[in-house]
Amino acid sequence: GAVVSQHPSWVICKSGTSVKIECRSLDFQATTMFWYRQFPKQSLMLMATSNEGSKATYEQGVEKDKFLINHASLTLSTLTVTSAHPEDSSFYICSADNDGPFYGYTFGSGTRLTVV
Amino acid sequence: QKEVEQNSGPLSVPEGAIASLNCTYSDRVSQSFFWYRQYSGKSPELIMSIYSNGDKEDGRFTAQLNKASQYVSLLIRDSQPSDSATYLCAVNQGGKLIFGQGTELSVKP
C-alpha cells in the first residue's frame, strides 16, 4: 500500500524561529499532498493543498506567508512554519495517495511542534 | 452548520458489545466517505470507505451510508479494548477530505 513518511516526528523550537516539516511519498508519485493541523481534542483541520510545480492552495483563514508550502518534486512536499509562536504549537499531519481522492488518503505519521 | 458533524462522545461500551458511531454531512454532492481511527498522539488510519447507499462490511466493522439523509455510520461488533480510540468521519469534497470532530470510543473490559 501507499506509504507516506513525515519528518521530524517531533520538534521543539524557540519563539520567532522557523521550522520545516517534510512529507514524502515513498512508493508512489503524488502530484497533490495535503497539510492538516490538529489541536488537542480537536479534529483535523485542512490547512492547504500542495500541488507539485505550482503554488499551494490555502484554506480560508490560513496565513500563507506564515505557513510556507513547497512541493518541488512528485515525492516531496515541505511545510515551513515561519516566525513560530506558542499558538502554532500543534500536531501537523500531511497526506497523499496514489489512488486519487475518491479512495481516501494515506496519512504521514505527523509532527508534534512545540514552540517555547 | 458544520460541514461534517459527529457526536463528540465519549462513547463507552462494554467489551463484546456493538459500538455505533454516527456522522452527518452537509454537501449533497459528496461521493465518497471514510472512517478513520486515531489513537492518542498518532495520525489517522483508514479503516473503512463507502461510496454507495447501503451497508459495507469488513470484518467486525460495518459502514452504512444513506445519501438521501446525508448520514454515514460505523458499527463495530464485538468491541475490544484495543478499539478504544477516536473515530473520525471524513467526506470527500472536491478532492479534499473534510473531517468531523471525531467521536471518542472507550471499550471497557
Side-chain angles (χ1 to χ4, degrees), chain B residues 8 11-12 33 40 46-47 59 62 88:
Chain B
S8 59
L11 173 65
S12 181
F33 309 86
S40 181
L46 181 65
I47 54 173
T62 299
L88 299 164

Side-chain angles (χ1 to χ4, degrees), chain B residues 47-50 54-64 74-75 77:
Chain B
I47 54 173
M48 288 288 287
S49 59
I50 188 165
D55 296 357
K56 179 181 178 183
E57 187 175 319
D58 184 0
R60 296 186 295 112
F61 299 97
T62 299
Q64 299 173 318
L74 179 70
L75 298 178
R77 291 182 299 281

Side-chain angles (χ1 to χ4, degrees), chain B:
Chain B
Q1 181 186 4
K2 292 182 179 177
E3 294 179 272
V4 182
E5 290 200 61
Q6 297 179 245
N7 296 329
S8 59
L11 173 65
S12 181
V13 300
E15 183 175 356
I18 296 175
S20 177
L21 306 164
N22 305 314
C23 173
T24 58
Y25 60 95
S26 60
D27 188 354
R28 284 193 167 274
V29 301
S30 298
Q31 293 294 315
S32 49
F33 309 86
F34 309 90
W35 284 99
Y36 285 82
R37 178 175 60 197
Q38 185 177 29
Y39 293 110
S40 181
K42 303 294 184 181
S43 69
E45 56 178 320
L46 181 65
I47 54 173
M48 288 288 287
S49 59
I50 188 165
Y51 316 111
S52 304
N53 279 327
D55 296 357
K56 179 181 178 183
E57 187 175 319
D58 184 0
R60 296 186 295 112
F61 299 97
T62 299
Q64 299 173 318
L65 174 62
N66 184 323
K67 291 185 179 180
S69 300
Q70 296 174 240
Y71 175 88
V72 191
S73 67
L74 179 70
L75 298 178
I76 306 175
R77 291 182 299 281
D78 188 23
S79 296
Q80 301 297 308
S82 58
D83 294 327
S84 297
T86 296
Y87 289 80
L88 299 164
C89 172
V91 176
N92 180 352
Q93 292 185 2
K96 299 185 291 188
L97 282 189
I98 306 301
F99 285 84
Q101 67 269 41
T103 298
E104 185 180 349
L105 172 66
S106 177
V107 181
K108 304 294 187 184

Side-chain angles (χ1 to χ4, degrees), chain A residues 71-111:
Chain A
H71 196 152
S73 76
L74 288 171
T75 59
L76 174 64
S77 175
T78 60
L79 168 67
T80 301
V81 183
T82 63
S83 186
H85 289 95
E87 56 266 30
D88 298 323
S89 298
S90 187
F91 192 44
Y92 292 85
I93 315 173
C94 69
S95 71
D97 197 275
N98 59 334
D99 291 330
F102 191 76
Y103 299 100
Y105 294 113
T106 301
F107 284 81
S109 55
T111 297

